[in-house]
Amino acid sequence: MAYTAAGAVAQLGLWCSVVGFTGGTLPLVGLKTAGPLVGLGFLVVVTSTLARTAFCISLAPLLLVTKRRTR
């Protein structure tokens, strides 16, 4: 379930990049774009940050389950 949510967040960031490149209104933000510069910014900064954060959050339960106790 967590991987599905992380994948959805990554796809939302990618969709914002596509809309930014082609021009239009970004979803959930409402920002209107007209050129490829905004799309490049979303691709480099926002999409990578969203994907990295979502996948790290989705791995947190796995890390808690497999954590070894040290004495």
Side-chain angles (χ1 to χ4, degrees), residues 5-69:
V9 169
Q11 287 180 354
L12 175 67
L14 185 60
W15 180 250
C16 287
S17 299
V18 170
V19 171
F21 274 117
T22 59
T25 304
L26 295 173
L28 299 179
V29 181
L31 180 69
K32 292 186 179 184
T33 64
L37 187 61
V38 174
L40 184 63
F42 261 92
L43 186 63
V44 171
V45 178
V46 177
T47 303
S48 61
T49 303
L50 283 176
R52 186 180 323 116
T53 304
F55 279 109
C56 286
I57 290 171
S58 70
L59 288 176
L62 180 65
L63 292 174
L64 292 174
V65 169
T66 60
K67 182 179 176 183
R68 293 185 186 178
R69 294 185 183 201

